[in-house]
Amino acid sequence: MHQLAPLSKGANQKIATRAAYGQALLELGNQHQDVVVLDADLSGSTKTAVFGKAHPDRFFNCGVAESNMMGTAAGLACTGRKVFASSFAMFATGKAWEPVRQSICIPQMDVKICASHAGLTVGEDGKSHQMLEDITLMRVLPHMKVIVPADSVETAEAVRLAYETPGPVYVRLSRASTPVIFGDEYRLELGRGAILRDGSDICIAACGVELAEAMIAADILANRNIEARVVNLACIDPIDVDLIVDSAEHCGAILTAEEHQIRGGFGDAVAQVVVRHHPVPMDLVGMDDSFGQSGPASDLIRHYGLDGPSLADRAETLMQRKER
Amino acid sequence: MALTREEATQIRKVALEVRQDVVRMVHAAGCGHPGGPLGMADFMSTLFLQHLNLSRDNRLSDDRDRFVLGNGHTCAGYYALLAQKGLIQREELLRFRKLGSQLQGHPHRNLELGIDFSTGSLGTGLSVAAGMALGARLNSWDSRVYCTSSDGESQEGQIWEAATSAAHWGLGNLTVLVDFNNIQIDGRMREIMDVRDLEAKYNAFGWHAVTVDGHDVIAVDQALCAAKETTDQPSAIIAITTIGKGVSYMEDASAWHGVAPNDEQLAQALEELGAAVS
């Protein structure tokens, strides 16, 4: 029996992970003089402005020039700084992918790319801003660590872990306010996932905003006498191979959920482990080769089948493929 | 202070040796980029011998100068100069581009060898150099950051993002040397994509920019001295050069951007460069 992750005892508190990032970064900067923060004219939205106001000497706004920001971050890291570089996920990983590869990953610089406004839950800004390919773009890079925190508590942990982990780290953050899932005593470790609720009929593995939807799905499934294990895999690279293999053995089927393209994304990372170590039936929930559109975040999550009830139905369908 | 006659002679001698090493290295590798480093040898030697505060003894110290080879494909000459400074073993030069060599086809960061940063993809170097200059200032280090670029690289948009931010932050400890040979891979720059007047462009971006004959070591030295004296804005030195300089059949020829000489061509090159052919 696994130890379950400590869960929040608060009632229905909602905080955006980007807001938690701003606060965590401020506290990190208060503790550590080597922290330098860069932004690309979105510091109010990414919440790096909180750090910038407290530590103006260690905050540099690079303007609307994300590629240059990433190169500048690499150069600053050469002078012994731990550099946090933020923008929207679209621009930080999409527009600036090449300098991230060339100037940060190849020389293994101490740069932490903390990008907000990832995924569908950007909402009304629509497909140009809904970054659905960033996990793919970052996890494919050698030396890059990828962390997708699910709530404010895990975001603070991700910021601490990024600081303590040498070399490049990508942290994916969201715009929308989302439920606080974890208790304050929760600790995130590199390459380690967590079980939030145990069951042996099906495993739902999720990251980011989809973890709360997975918990809703597990409640729905319980009412149908199906006991689901819910696994949080915030750390996608390196991923918790032991926990995925254990879940495959224990549950016999794994459903993944992500606010991202399923091609090359989170589910793909889980599937690689399953295929190589313990093949069981799998299904991947996420965006299936499609861009998003404008709309309120919660409407979009429902429209594209990423909500708890949809996950529950997909889990039940997947269970039918289990070997009896 | 102007170069003494002895200093100028020594720089020219080293530049000639660098050129000999460049053709030997590219020949031994069977591939690589000889034209660019031959053209850059005079201004690079002036920088490395007379200005760049980098040595075996201080290569890991905080307040040394930094160097970023923005046009990373010209690294044969860079490696030869690091060998001149005792940072790279001379034997290693002929392992350039070979499997397992520390001397990669484009530079890979290796502080032990004095290689401050990884480059190769055009457009990325100046941003990194600006970040180093910003960090050096933040740390109150008395170090300067030098970066090379080229006319062809100036077609990359990221160069102008970096030019904007370096001027905005007033990085007086940053100097870029732009190799302007009017040649790019596909032909004459003016026919492919003309970048026009880079001195005017850098000046307009808020830099202190000058244009010099990149083969005139005295003029290059003066420009580097003026850059040191400019403390409130970054400096750009547009160095007009001839690609392939010193090897007659390579001079001003885009074909020699990225082709290795054969045995006969190597012998002719070394003869023209005044080397004893072994």
Side-chain angles (χ1 to χ4, degrees):
Chain A
M1 191 68 188
H2 288 270
Q3 195 173 1
L4 300 184
L7 299 184
S8 169
K9 294 177 182 67
N12 300 325
Q13 195 187 8
K14 283 192 167 188
I15 303 173
T17 54
R18 61 175 169 140
Y21 169 58
Q23 191 58 35
L25 196 59
L26 172 66
E27 287 162 19
L28 194 73
N30 292 342
Q31 286 170 27
H32 302 286
Q33 290 300 310
D34 56 354
V35 173
V36 172
V37 176
L38 304 181
D39 204 298
D41 198 35
L42 289 167
S43 62
S45 298
T46 65
K47 304 300 179 189
T48 60
V50 179
F51 179 100
K53 196 174 171 194
H55 304 289
D57 54 323
R58 289 187 274 144
F59 175 78
F60 298 96
N61 200 323
C62 297
V64 193
E66 297 78 10
S67 296
N68 183 51
M69 175 172 74
M70 293 307 175
T72 302
L76 277 160
C78 288
T79 64
R81 298 290 176 163
K82 289 184 186 293
V83 187
F84 284 72
S86 291
S87 178
F88 287 180
M90 181 68 245
F91 315 125
T93 70
K95 190 168 293 204
W97 186 83
E98 213 255 355
V100 169
R101 180 186 189 276
Q102 306 289 3
S103 303
I104 294 174
C105 288
I106 286 182
Q108 301 184 52
M109 303 315 298
D110 232 339
V111 176
K112 322 302 173 185
I113 300 165
C114 298
S116 72
H117 293 61
L120 270 183
T121 50
V122 165
E124 292 81 350
D125 276 353
K127 60 189 82 176
S128 65
H129 283 55
Q130 291 163 349
M131 186 41 156
L132 298 166
E133 297 86 24
D134 54 323
I135 295 174
T136 308
L137 291 173
M138 293 295 104
R139 68 176 274 256
V140 75
L141 289 170
H143 306 305
M144 179 65 85
K145 312 281 189 287
V146 178
I147 305 173
V148 183
D151 76 346
S152 58
V153 175
E154 192 166 53
T155 298
E157 280 293 288
V159 170
R160 174 191 60 77
L161 192 58
Y163 177 83
E164 291 172 357
T165 304
V169 178
Y170 177 61
V171 180
R172 182 187 212 227
L173 304 167
S174 305
R175 168 177 179 255
S177 293
T178 47
V180 178
I181 297 170
F182 294 103
D184 290 337
E185 63 273 39
Y186 172 76
R187 290 291 168 266
L188 177 64
E189 291 176 56
L190 196 67
R192 293 292 296 275
I195 301 174
L196 277 72
R197 143 178 203 153
D198 216 349
S200 58
D201 294 326
I202 182 98
C203 170
I204 305 177
C207 65
V209 302
E210 282 299 287
L211 186 62
E213 301 298 335
M215 291 295 275
I216 293 168
D219 282 339
I220 295 168
L221 289 167
N223 287 332
R224 301 178 194 168
N225 292 317
I226 295 168
E227 291 305 323
R229 170 185 278 194
V230 177
V231 168
N232 175 43
L233 292 169
C235 193
I236 297 177
D237 191 356
I239 203 161
D240 192 339
V241 174
D242 291 344
L243 181 55
I244 294 170
V245 171
D246 180 86
S247 299
E249 287 172 353
H250 186 71
C251 303
I254 298 179
L255 181 77
T256 60
E258 64 196 298
E259 183 199 15
H260 187 275
Q261 304 288 356
I262 59 172
R263 299 181 182 201
F266 166 71
D268 231 24
V270 175
Q272 281 194 15
V273 175
V274 170
V275 166
R276 294 169 86 174
H277 298 281
H278 194 95
V280 293
M282 270 194 75
D283 197 6
L284 287 71
V285 174
M287 297 297 281
D288 192 358
D289 204 23
S290 135
F291 292 116
Q293 59 178 304
S294 292
S298 55
D299 289 0
L300 289 164
I301 289 289
R302 271 194 301 278
H303 179 79
Y304 290 100
L306 275 64
D307 57 321
S310 298
L311 290 183
D313 292 345
R314 292 279 289 268
E316 209 174 344
T317 305
L318 174 61
M319 276 181 59
Q320 293 165 11
R321 289 169 50 204
K322 279 174 67 171
E323 286 179 27
R324 297 183 192 279
Chain B
M1 208 156 46
L3 285 181
T4 64
R5 184 188 297 265
E6 290 73 23
E7 286 167 340
T9 302
Q10 178 63 16
I11 291 169
R12 291 189 191 104
K13 174 175 167 285
V14 166
L16 194 63
E17 290 169 2
V18 166
R19 288 188 166 100
Q20 293 162 6
D21 283 338
V22 165
V23 290
R24 284 194 185 105
M25 288 166 71
V26 176
H27 171 263
C31 60
H33 302 84
L38 290 175
M40 294 162 68
D42 297 307
F43 75 75
M44 282 283 282
S45 299
T46 310
L47 172 67
F48 272 64
L49 267 64
Q50 205 66 26
H51 294 270
L52 186 72
N53 177 26
L54 171 69
S55 65
R56 262 197 78 77
D57 292 339
N58 79 354
R59 68 194 190 283
L60 302 177
S61 73
D62 284 344
D63 58 359
R64 72 181 191 280
D65 289 346
R66 266 80 175 165
F67 177 80
V68 177
L69 188 77
N71 46 346
H73 60 280
T74 65
C75 57
Y78 176 34
Y79 297 152
L81 275 162
L82 288 172
Q84 288 276 347
K85 297 204 108 179
L87 285 144
I88 288 176
Q89 304 279 327
R90 284 205 59 80
E91 310 86 82
E92 187 67 13
L93 290 181
L94 293 181
R95 300 198 62 240
F96 173 49
R97 288 181 159 248
K98 300 253 196 305
L99 185 65
S101 172
Q102 293 175 305
L103 305 186
Q104 293 286 294
H106 293 81
H108 181 64
R109 179 171 155 89
N110 184 333
L111 300 184
E112 286 292 330
L113 302 185
I115 301 170
D116 277 311
F117 209 74
S118 305
T119 53
S121 171
L122 293 179
T124 59
L126 190 56
S127 299
V128 176
M132 288 178 178
L134 190 61
R137 188 173 74 186
L138 203 56
N139 294 346
S140 303
W141 291 346
D142 184 24
S143 47
R144 296 192 59 79
V145 182
Y146 294 94
C147 180
T148 57
S149 181
S150 69
D151 45 4
E153 190 187 23
S154 304
Q155 294 164 354
E156 287 280 2
Q158 194 183 333
I159 288 291
W160 302 105
E161 293 184 8
T164 304
S165 63
H168 180 78
W169 293 325
L171 298 177
N173 55 348
L174 174 66
T175 301
V176 64
L177 297 104
V178 185
D179 180 35
F180 199 113
N181 58 26
N182 192 28
I183 294 276
Q184 56 187 116
I185 297 177
D186 276 353
R188 300 235 158 249
M189 195 189 55
R190 291 203 181 92
E191 290 158 15
I192 306 299
M193 185 54 64
D194 194 355
V195 300
R196 297 173 187 262
D197 186 345
L198 289 184
E199 180 185 326
K201 281 188 173 177
Y202 271 101
N203 274 321
F205 273 72
W207 290 54
H208 168 253
V210 295
T211 301
V212 300
D213 175 351
H215 301 301
D216 180 346
V217 299
I218 292 167
V220 170
D221 174 71
Q222 283 171 349
L224 286 165
C225 287
K228 275 182 189 162
E229 284 158 19
T230 307
T231 56
D232 57 346
Q233 60 186 147
S235 293
I237 299 170
I238 317 301
I240 307 297
T241 63
T242 300
I243 192 172
K245 179 79 172 178
V247 177
S248 58
Y249 59 87
M250 292 190 191
E251 285 192 2
D252 203 30
S254 62
W256 286 97
H257 166 91
V259 177
N262 61 27
D263 293 349
E264 284 170 30
Q265 289 164 331
L266 173 69
Q268 184 188 339
L270 288 174
E271 193 179 341
E272 290 181 15
L273 292 168
V277 182
S278 57

